[in-house]
Amino acid sequence: MFHASYSRNADSERFTTLLERFSRECPEFDAWWREHVITAPVSGVKKLTGKDGVTRAFCYSTFTSNDSPALKLAIYVPAGPC
């Protein structure tokens, strides 16, 4: 997902600075970055733990705006048949 975000923000000095920091501080980062994997799941199941300490499963779907690809909408519903 980070790679996909970078492709939309390649001219951003902040992104470049962040990439340099990751490369400097994470030995595995350069290998991961060279893999150039830009696919990301658009739906699935996530388990989230609330402030009450209870872990709950949610089905999610994500959508990208046609007018502004930087905008995304994620919808979560309690897990059942997804």
Side-chain angles (χ1 to χ4, degrees):
M1 292 175 68
F2 184 74
H3 230 149
S5 293
Y6 175 74
S7 69
R8 290 188 302 273
N9 298 284
D11 296 332
S12 168
E13 185 177 327
R14 285 184 165 180
F15 243 105
T16 303
T17 301
L18 187 59
L19 285 173
E20 290 168 356
R21 179 179 171 197
F22 286 161
S23 184
R24 191 173 53 250
E25 296 181 16
C26 178
E28 299 90 353
F29 179 77
D30 288 331
W32 294 334
W33 190 252
R34 283 190 303 270
E35 289 177 12
H36 200 76
V37 176
I38 59 170
T39 60
V42 294
S43 63
V45 177
K46 285 189 183 182
K47 292 183 179 179
L48 305 173
T49 303
K51 290 182 180 181
D52 59 4
V54 176
T55 300
R56 296 171 181 89
F58 293 88
C59 297
Y60 72 92
S61 293
T62 58
F63 305 89
T64 302
S65 168
N66 289 338
D67 295 332
S68 181
L71 297 177
K72 295 190 178 2
L73 170 68
I75 299 173
Y76 289 80
V77 296
C82 296

